[in-house]
Amino acid sequence: MSALKTPISREEVFKLVKKIPRGMVTTYGELAKAVGKPKAARAIGAILRANTRPIEIPCHRVVCSNGKVGGYSLGVDLKIRLLEQEGIRIKNGKIVNLRKHLYKFNST
DNA sequence: ACGACGGCCCTCG
DNA sequence: ACGAGGGCCGTCG
């Protein structure tokens, strides 16, 4: 029973993002689905962008579904750096073997 | 309360 | 494999 007419809560997204283990990445679309709004991928980005706690929330582990790193409030370069620091390789602004590091949530 | 812009995703050429 | 266009949902000014 998800809130169909209820907008996505930031805490919901943050909570899921926080659950992402190190060395793994997820996509905005997956997050959107996890919150019950598969079409709200864009909104997810807006929420992550509105995130004021990039330290407690590894929003840098969220990338595009097409393999692109996407964006980052603190700078895409930093995002890439962090990802590589976690063992994820990036080629030309795109995640290498994204499928291998793609993390999915439990949609119950 | 309203209009404009995104850290997007998908389909088509 | 790449480029362009539409759609969907929040946030910001």
Side-chain angles (χ1 to χ4, degrees):
Chain A
M1 48 175 241
S2 357
L4 245 60
K5 267 162 63 213
T6 310
I8 306 173
S9 302
R10 307 186 209 169
E11 291 209 354
E12 282 289 306
V13 181
F14 295 145
K15 206 183 274 191
L16 290 166
V17 173
K18 279 196 229 165
K19 279 180 187 172
I20 303 175
R22 181 181 170 284
M24 287 289 215
V25 291
T26 190
T27 68
Y28 301 94
E30 280 297 317
L31 280 167
K33 277 186 189 179
V35 297
K37 299 231 187 294
K39 300 270 190 181
R42 218 166 188 185
I44 298 290
I47 293 171
L48 289 175
R49 190 174 186 262
N51 158 31
T52 65
R53 303 236 136 86
I55 305 183
E56 302 195 358
I57 301 171
C59 38
H60 64 268
R61 284 182 194 155
V62 186
V63 298
C64 290
S65 62
N66 58 323
K68 286 182 179 169
V69 294
Y72 198 52
S73 312
L74 307 182
V76 186
D77 55 325
L78 177 60
K79 180 170 181 174
I80 295 173
R81 214 176 295 167
L82 289 167
L83 288 171
E84 288 199 316
Q85 188 179 348
E86 296 196 353
I88 298 171
R89 269 176 229 185
I90 296 166
K91 182 84 166 205
N92 223 347
K94 295 167 211 103
I95 308 290
V96 180
N97 284 329
L98 171 64
R99 228 181 118 165
K100 190 178 167 182
H101 299 285
L102 184 54
Y103 177 82
K104 295 186 174 175
F105 300 93
N106 273 15
S107 47
T108 32

